[in-house]
Short mmCIF file of all heavy atoms in Angstrom, two decimals:
data_model
loop_
_atom_site.label_atom_id
_atom_site.label_comp_id
_atom_site.label_asym_id
_atom_site.label_seq_id
_atom_site.Cartn_x
_atom_site.Cartn_y
_atom_site.Cartn_z
N ALA A 638 29.66 -3.40 39.02
CA ALA A 638 30.85 -2.58 39.33
C ALA A 638 30.89 -1.29 38.51
O ALA A 638 31.21 -0.21 39.03
CB ALA A 638 32.10 -3.42 39.02
N ARG A 639 30.44 -1.34 37.27
CA ARG A 639 30.44 -0.16 36.46
C ARG A 639 29.43 0.87 36.93
O ARG A 639 29.71 2.06 37.02
CB ARG A 639 30.12 -0.52 34.99
CG ARG A 639 30.34 0.60 34.03
CD ARG A 639 30.11 0.10 32.59
NE ARG A 639 28.71 -0.07 32.33
CZ ARG A 639 27.85 0.91 31.96
NH1 ARG A 639 28.33 2.13 31.80
NH2 ARG A 639 26.56 0.63 31.78
N GLN A 640 28.26 0.39 37.36
CA GLN A 640 27.23 1.29 37.88
C GLN A 640 27.67 1.93 39.20
O GLN A 640 27.32 3.05 39.48
CB GLN A 640 25.91 0.56 38.00
CG GLN A 640 25.25 0.21 36.71
CD GLN A 640 24.85 1.39 35.87
OE1 GLN A 640 24.65 2.48 36.40
NE2 GLN A 640 24.92 1.19 34.53
N GLN A 641 28.37 1.12 40.03
CA GLN A 641 28.85 1.74 41.29
C GLN A 641 29.85 2.79 41.02
O GLN A 641 29.90 3.85 41.72
CB GLN A 641 29.42 0.56 42.14
CG GLN A 641 28.39 -0.36 42.70
CD GLN A 641 28.98 -1.60 43.40
OE1 GLN A 641 30.20 -1.86 43.21
NE2 GLN A 641 28.20 -2.31 44.17
N MET A 642 30.75 2.60 40.03
CA MET A 642 31.72 3.58 39.73
C MET A 642 31.00 4.87 39.19
O MET A 642 31.32 5.99 39.55
CB MET A 642 32.67 3.07 38.62
CG MET A 642 33.64 4.19 38.11
SD MET A 642 34.74 4.86 39.39
CE MET A 642 35.77 3.40 39.67
N ASN A 643 29.97 4.69 38.34
CA ASN A 643 29.20 5.84 37.83
C ASN A 643 28.52 6.58 38.97
O ASN A 643 28.46 7.83 38.96
CB ASN A 643 28.15 5.38 36.88
CG ASN A 643 28.77 4.86 35.57
OD1 ASN A 643 29.94 5.13 35.28
ND2 ASN A 643 28.03 4.11 34.76
N GLU A 644 28.06 5.87 39.98
CA GLU A 644 27.39 6.56 41.10
C GLU A 644 28.37 7.40 41.90
O GLU A 644 28.01 8.53 42.34
CB GLU A 644 26.75 5.49 42.00
CG GLU A 644 25.92 6.03 43.18
CD GLU A 644 24.74 6.79 42.71
OE1 GLU A 644 24.32 6.68 41.56
OE2 GLU A 644 24.21 7.60 43.53
N ARG A 645 29.60 6.88 42.07
CA ARG A 645 30.67 7.69 42.75
C ARG A 645 30.94 8.98 41.97
O ARG A 645 31.09 10.07 42.52
CB ARG A 645 31.90 6.86 42.96
CG ARG A 645 31.74 5.80 44.03
CD ARG A 645 33.09 5.19 44.43
NE ARG A 645 33.72 4.47 43.33
CZ ARG A 645 33.54 3.20 43.09
NH1 ARG A 645 32.71 2.49 43.86
NH2 ARG A 645 34.13 2.62 42.07
N LEU A 646 30.99 8.87 40.62
CA LEU A 646 31.28 10.01 39.81
C LEU A 646 30.13 11.04 39.91
O LEU A 646 30.36 12.24 39.97
CB LEU A 646 31.42 9.61 38.38
CG LEU A 646 32.72 8.79 38.03
CD1 LEU A 646 32.68 8.38 36.59
CD2 LEU A 646 33.96 9.62 38.30
N ARG A 647 28.86 10.53 39.97
CA ARG A 647 27.76 11.46 40.12
C ARG A 647 27.85 12.25 41.42
O ARG A 647 27.64 13.49 41.46
CB ARG A 647 26.44 10.70 40.07
CG ARG A 647 26.05 10.11 38.71
CD ARG A 647 24.62 9.58 38.74
NE ARG A 647 24.20 8.94 37.52
CZ ARG A 647 24.26 7.64 37.28
NH1 ARG A 647 24.71 6.87 38.27
NH2 ARG A 647 23.90 7.13 36.14
N ARG A 648 28.11 11.49 42.52
CA ARG A 648 28.16 12.20 43.86
C ARG A 648 29.30 13.18 43.87
O ARG A 648 29.18 14.28 44.47
CB ARG A 648 28.32 11.14 44.92
CG ARG A 648 27.10 10.24 45.08
CD ARG A 648 27.25 9.21 46.18
NE ARG A 648 26.09 8.35 46.35
CZ ARG A 648 25.00 8.66 47.07
NH1 ARG A 648 24.99 9.85 47.67
NH2 ARG A 648 23.99 7.86 47.19
N GLN A 649 30.46 12.79 43.29
CA GLN A 649 31.61 13.70 43.26
C GLN A 649 31.31 15.01 42.51
O GLN A 649 31.60 16.10 42.98
CB GLN A 649 32.81 12.99 42.68
CG GLN A 649 34.13 13.81 42.64
CD GLN A 649 35.28 13.01 42.11
OE1 GLN A 649 35.27 11.77 42.14
NE2 GLN A 649 36.29 13.67 41.58
N PHE A 650 30.66 14.87 41.36
CA PHE A 650 30.31 16.06 40.57
C PHE A 650 29.28 16.88 41.32
O PHE A 650 29.34 18.11 41.33
CB PHE A 650 29.77 15.63 39.23
CG PHE A 650 29.28 16.76 38.34
CD1 PHE A 650 30.21 17.46 37.54
CD2 PHE A 650 27.94 17.10 38.38
CE1 PHE A 650 29.72 18.49 36.76
CE2 PHE A 650 27.51 18.19 37.58
CZ PHE A 650 28.41 18.86 36.79
N ALA A 651 28.24 16.22 41.92
CA ALA A 651 27.20 16.92 42.58
C ALA A 651 27.72 17.72 43.81
O ALA A 651 27.23 18.84 44.06
CB ALA A 651 26.10 15.94 43.04
N ALA A 652 28.68 17.15 44.52
CA ALA A 652 29.20 17.87 45.70
C ALA A 652 29.86 19.18 45.25
O ALA A 652 29.65 20.24 45.91
CB ALA A 652 30.20 17.02 46.41
N GLN A 653 30.59 19.21 44.18
CA GLN A 653 31.21 20.46 43.79
C GLN A 653 30.19 21.38 43.11
O GLN A 653 30.25 22.60 43.32
CB GLN A 653 32.32 20.16 42.74
CG GLN A 653 33.53 19.36 43.34
CD GLN A 653 34.62 19.15 42.31
OE1 GLN A 653 35.25 20.17 41.97
NE2 GLN A 653 34.80 17.94 41.82
N ALA A 654 29.28 20.81 42.26
CA ALA A 654 28.28 21.69 41.58
C ALA A 654 27.39 22.38 42.60
O ALA A 654 26.99 23.51 42.41
CB ALA A 654 27.47 20.86 40.59
N ASN A 655 26.99 21.63 43.67
CA ASN A 655 26.12 22.25 44.66
C ASN A 655 26.79 23.35 45.45
O ASN A 655 26.08 24.18 46.08
CB ASN A 655 25.60 21.16 45.58
CG ASN A 655 24.63 20.22 44.97
OD1 ASN A 655 24.02 20.57 43.99
ND2 ASN A 655 24.50 18.98 45.47
N ALA A 656 28.09 23.40 45.44
CA ALA A 656 28.79 24.52 46.09
C ALA A 656 29.07 25.63 45.08
O ALA A 656 28.92 26.82 45.43
CB ALA A 656 30.14 24.03 46.69
N ILE A 657 29.46 25.31 43.87
CA ILE A 657 29.82 26.35 42.88
C ILE A 657 28.59 27.07 42.39
O ILE A 657 28.61 28.32 42.22
CB ILE A 657 30.56 25.72 41.70
CG1 ILE A 657 31.93 25.15 42.18
CG2 ILE A 657 30.77 26.69 40.56
CD1 ILE A 657 32.65 24.39 41.13
N GLY A 658 27.45 26.38 42.16
CA GLY A 658 26.28 27.00 41.66
C GLY A 658 25.77 28.18 42.52
O GLY A 658 25.58 29.26 42.06
N PRO A 659 25.52 27.91 43.84
CA PRO A 659 25.08 29.02 44.68
C PRO A 659 26.11 30.16 44.82
O PRO A 659 25.77 31.31 44.93
CB PRO A 659 24.87 28.32 46.03
CG PRO A 659 24.62 26.89 45.69
CD PRO A 659 25.44 26.60 44.52
N TRP A 660 27.46 29.79 44.77
CA TRP A 660 28.47 30.83 44.87
C TRP A 660 28.37 31.81 43.68
O TRP A 660 28.42 33.02 43.87
CB TRP A 660 29.83 30.19 44.96
CG TRP A 660 30.95 31.18 45.13
CD1 TRP A 660 31.47 31.68 46.34
CD2 TRP A 660 31.71 31.84 44.10
NE1 TRP A 660 32.44 32.56 46.11
CE2 TRP A 660 32.63 32.66 44.74
CE3 TRP A 660 31.64 31.80 42.72
CZ2 TRP A 660 33.49 33.52 44.02
CZ3 TRP A 660 32.55 32.56 42.02
CH2 TRP A 660 33.45 33.46 42.64
N ILE A 661 28.25 31.18 42.44
CA ILE A 661 28.14 32.03 41.27
C ILE A 661 26.86 32.87 41.33
O ILE A 661 26.88 34.10 41.00
CB ILE A 661 28.14 31.14 40.00
CG1 ILE A 661 29.54 30.52 39.85
CG2 ILE A 661 27.80 31.95 38.77
CD1 ILE A 661 29.59 29.53 38.67
N GLN A 662 25.78 32.25 41.74
CA GLN A 662 24.51 33.01 41.83
C GLN A 662 24.63 34.21 42.82
O GLN A 662 24.18 35.32 42.55
CB GLN A 662 23.36 32.07 42.24
CG GLN A 662 21.99 32.74 42.20
CD GLN A 662 20.90 31.72 42.48
OE1 GLN A 662 21.16 30.58 42.68
NE2 GLN A 662 19.70 32.21 42.54
N GLY A 663 25.28 33.93 43.94
CA GLY A 663 25.46 35.01 44.93
C GLY A 663 26.34 36.11 44.41
O GLY A 663 26.05 37.30 44.65
N LYS A 664 27.41 35.75 43.69
CA LYS A 664 28.31 36.80 43.18
C LYS A 664 27.58 37.65 42.12
O LYS A 664 27.78 38.84 42.04
CB LYS A 664 29.53 36.11 42.59
CG LYS A 664 30.52 35.60 43.59
CD LYS A 664 31.09 36.76 44.43
CE LYS A 664 32.14 36.27 45.46
NZ LYS A 664 32.64 37.43 46.26
N VAL A 665 26.74 36.98 41.26
CA VAL A 665 26.01 37.72 40.28
C VAL A 665 25.11 38.73 40.94
O VAL A 665 24.98 39.91 40.51
CB VAL A 665 25.25 36.80 39.36
CG1 VAL A 665 24.27 37.58 38.46
CG2 VAL A 665 26.13 35.97 38.49
N GLU A 666 24.42 38.36 41.99
CA GLU A 666 23.52 39.27 42.69
C GLU A 666 24.31 40.36 43.37
O GLU A 666 23.89 41.53 43.42
CB GLU A 666 22.73 38.46 43.72
CG GLU A 666 21.73 37.47 43.08
CD GLU A 666 21.04 36.62 44.12
OE1 GLU A 666 21.38 36.72 45.33
OE2 GLU A 666 20.18 35.81 43.77
N GLU A 667 25.50 40.02 43.96
CA GLU A 667 26.31 41.04 44.62
C GLU A 667 26.81 42.05 43.64
O GLU A 667 26.75 43.26 43.93
CB GLU A 667 27.49 40.31 45.34
CG GLU A 667 28.37 41.27 46.14
CD GLU A 667 29.49 40.50 46.83
OE1 GLU A 667 29.45 39.28 46.88
OE2 GLU A 667 30.39 41.20 47.34
N VAL A 668 27.26 41.61 42.46
CA VAL A 668 27.72 42.59 41.46
C VAL A 668 26.56 43.44 41.04
O VAL A 668 26.73 44.66 40.74
CB VAL A 668 28.36 41.83 40.30
CG1 VAL A 668 28.64 42.76 39.12
CG2 VAL A 668 29.64 41.11 40.73
N GLY A 669 25.38 42.84 40.88
CA GLY A 669 24.22 43.61 40.47
C GLY A 669 23.91 44.71 41.48
O GLY A 669 23.54 45.82 41.11
N ARG A 670 23.99 44.36 42.78
CA ARG A 670 23.71 45.37 43.81
C ARG A 670 24.75 46.51 43.78
O ARG A 670 24.46 47.70 43.93
CB ARG A 670 23.72 44.70 45.18
CG ARG A 670 22.46 43.83 45.41
CD ARG A 670 22.34 43.45 46.87
NE ARG A 670 23.53 42.70 47.33
CZ ARG A 670 23.62 41.36 47.31
NH1 ARG A 670 22.59 40.70 46.79
NH2 ARG A 670 24.63 40.73 47.78
N LEU A 671 26.05 46.13 43.52
CA LEU A 671 27.12 47.15 43.45
C LEU A 671 26.83 48.12 42.29
O LEU A 671 27.01 49.29 42.35
CB LEU A 671 28.44 46.47 43.32
CG LEU A 671 28.99 45.74 44.52
CD1 LEU A 671 30.30 45.03 44.21
CD2 LEU A 671 29.24 46.73 45.68
N ALA A 672 26.39 47.53 41.12
CA ALA A 672 26.14 48.36 39.95
C ALA A 672 24.98 49.32 40.17
O ALA A 672 24.95 50.44 39.68
CB ALA A 672 25.90 47.48 38.77
N ALA A 673 23.96 48.86 40.95
CA ALA A 673 22.80 49.71 41.16
C ALA A 673 22.99 50.75 42.19
O ALA A 673 22.32 51.80 42.20
CB ALA A 673 21.63 48.82 41.53
N GLY A 674 23.91 50.55 43.14
CA GLY A 674 24.05 51.55 44.23
C GLY A 674 25.48 51.74 44.64
O GLY A 674 25.86 51.42 45.77
N LEU A 675 26.34 52.17 43.70
CA LEU A 675 27.77 52.45 44.04
C LEU A 675 27.83 53.65 45.01
O LEU A 675 27.20 54.68 44.80
CB LEU A 675 28.55 52.68 42.79
CG LEU A 675 28.69 51.47 41.82
CD1 LEU A 675 29.32 51.90 40.55
CD2 LEU A 675 29.53 50.43 42.52
N ALA A 676 28.69 53.50 46.04
CA ALA A 676 28.92 54.56 47.01
C ALA A 676 30.38 54.86 47.15
O ALA A 676 31.27 54.07 46.83
CB ALA A 676 28.36 54.18 48.37
N GLY A 677 30.71 56.08 47.66
CA GLY A 677 32.10 56.51 47.76
C GLY A 677 32.61 57.12 46.51
O GLY A 677 31.87 57.28 45.51
N SER A 678 33.91 57.46 46.51
CA SER A 678 34.51 58.06 45.31
C SER A 678 34.64 57.05 44.25
O SER A 678 34.58 55.81 44.49
CB SER A 678 35.90 58.66 45.66
OG SER A 678 36.75 57.58 46.02
N LEU A 679 34.85 57.57 42.95
CA LEU A 679 34.91 56.63 41.85
C LEU A 679 36.17 55.73 41.99
O LEU A 679 36.16 54.60 41.60
CB LEU A 679 35.03 57.41 40.54
CG LEU A 679 33.74 58.20 40.18
CD1 LEU A 679 33.95 59.00 38.90
CD2 LEU A 679 32.60 57.26 40.01
N GLU A 680 37.23 56.35 42.62
CA GLU A 680 38.45 55.54 42.75
C GLU A 680 38.23 54.41 43.75
O GLU A 680 38.70 53.25 43.56
CB GLU A 680 39.64 56.43 43.18
CG GLU A 680 40.24 57.34 42.14
CD GLU A 680 39.33 58.48 41.86
OE1 GLU A 680 38.30 58.69 42.58
OE2 GLU A 680 39.57 59.23 40.84
N GLU A 681 37.43 54.74 44.81
CA GLU A 681 37.15 53.64 45.77
C GLU A 681 36.23 52.62 45.15
O GLU A 681 36.41 51.40 45.42
CB GLU A 681 36.46 54.31 47.00
CG GLU A 681 37.39 55.27 47.82
CD GLU A 681 36.65 55.96 48.91
OE1 GLU A 681 35.38 55.89 48.89
OE2 GLU A 681 37.26 56.60 49.79
N GLN A 682 35.28 53.05 44.38
CA GLN A 682 34.38 52.08 43.75
C GLN A 682 35.20 51.18 42.80
O GLN A 682 35.01 49.97 42.78
CB GLN A 682 33.30 52.80 42.95
CG GLN A 682 32.32 53.63 43.83
CD GLN A 682 31.39 54.46 42.98
OE1 GLN A 682 31.24 54.21 41.78
NE2 GLN A 682 30.77 55.47 43.63
N MET A 683 36.13 51.83 42.06
CA MET A 683 36.94 51.06 41.12
C MET A 683 37.79 50.00 41.86
O MET A 683 37.92 48.87 41.42
CB MET A 683 37.81 51.97 40.27
CG MET A 683 38.75 51.25 39.31
SD MET A 683 37.82 50.27 38.07
CE MET A 683 37.13 51.67 37.13
N ALA A 684 38.34 50.43 42.97
CA ALA A 684 39.20 49.50 43.76
C ALA A 684 38.34 48.29 44.24
O ALA A 684 38.84 47.18 44.19
CB ALA A 684 39.83 50.25 44.90
N GLY A 685 37.17 48.62 44.72
CA GLY A 685 36.26 47.53 45.21
C GLY A 685 35.93 46.55 44.08
O GLY A 685 35.89 45.33 44.33
N LEU A 686 35.59 47.12 42.96
CA LEU A 686 35.15 46.28 41.79
C LEU A 686 36.37 45.41 41.34
O LEU A 686 36.23 44.25 40.97
CB LEU A 686 34.65 47.10 40.69
CG LEU A 686 33.27 47.75 40.92
CD1 LEU A 686 32.93 48.73 39.81
CD2 LEU A 686 32.19 46.69 41.03
N ARG A 687 37.58 46.04 41.31
CA ARG A 687 38.76 45.27 40.89
C ARG A 687 39.04 44.13 41.88
O ARG A 687 39.44 43.02 41.45
CB ARG A 687 40.03 46.19 40.88
CG ARG A 687 39.99 47.23 39.76
CD ARG A 687 40.03 46.54 38.39
NE ARG A 687 40.10 47.54 37.30
CZ ARG A 687 40.03 47.24 36.04
NH1 ARG A 687 39.94 45.95 35.66
NH2 ARG A 687 40.10 48.17 35.11
N GLN A 688 38.78 44.38 43.17
CA GLN A 688 38.97 43.31 44.16
C GLN A 688 37.98 42.14 43.90
O GLN A 688 38.34 40.98 43.97
CB GLN A 688 38.73 43.88 45.57
CG GLN A 688 38.99 42.86 46.68
CD GLN A 688 40.39 42.26 46.69
OE1 GLN A 688 41.38 43.05 46.45
NE2 GLN A 688 40.55 40.97 46.90
N GLN A 689 36.73 42.57 43.60
CA GLN A 689 35.72 41.51 43.29
C GLN A 689 36.14 40.72 42.03
O GLN A 689 36.00 39.43 41.95
CB GLN A 689 34.36 42.18 43.05
CG GLN A 689 33.67 42.69 44.32
CD GLN A 689 33.18 41.55 45.18
OE1 GLN A 689 33.15 40.39 44.78
NE2 GLN A 689 32.86 41.85 46.46
N GLU A 690 36.66 41.42 41.03
CA GLU A 690 37.03 40.76 39.80
C GLU A 690 38.20 39.76 40.07
O GLU A 690 38.19 38.64 39.56
CB GLU A 690 37.48 41.81 38.78
CG GLU A 690 37.93 41.21 37.44
CD GLU A 690 38.42 42.25 36.50
OE1 GLU A 690 38.89 43.31 36.94
OE2 GLU A 690 38.29 42.05 35.26
N GLN A 691 39.15 40.18 40.97
CA GLN A 691 40.26 39.29 41.28
C GLN A 691 39.76 38.01 42.01
O GLN A 691 40.24 36.91 41.78
CB GLN A 691 41.30 40.02 42.11
CG GLN A 691 42.57 39.23 42.34
CD GLN A 691 43.22 38.82 41.03
OE1 GLN A 691 43.38 39.65 40.13
NE2 GLN A 691 43.72 37.56 40.92
N ASN A 692 38.78 38.25 42.93
CA ASN A 692 38.24 37.12 43.66
C ASN A 692 37.57 36.16 42.69
O ASN A 692 37.66 34.92 42.84
CB ASN A 692 37.21 37.61 44.71
CG ASN A 692 37.87 38.38 45.83
OD1 ASN A 692 39.06 38.27 46.04
ND2 ASN A 692 37.15 39.24 46.51
#
Side-chain angles (χ1 to χ4, degrees):
R639 191 176 72 84
Q640 291 298 332
Q641 289 173 344
M642 173 60 71
N643 291 344
E644 183 65 18
R645 286 194 295 272
L646 292 175
R647 288 191 186 96
R648 293 181 180 276
Q649 181 177 335
F650 177 85
Q653 295 186 70
N655 288 337
I657 293 174
W660 184 89
I661 292 175
Q662 185 175 358
K664 284 299 181 181
V665 170
E666 294 174 356
E667 182 178 348
V668 171
R670 287 193 299 272
L671 289 174
L675 292 172
S678 65
L679 294 177
E680 285 75 8
E681 293 174 350
Q682 295 174 16
M683 178 62 70
L686 290 172
R687 290 296 184 184
Q688 182 61 38
Q689 287 290 347
E690 181 182 28
Q691 187 60 42
N692 292 339

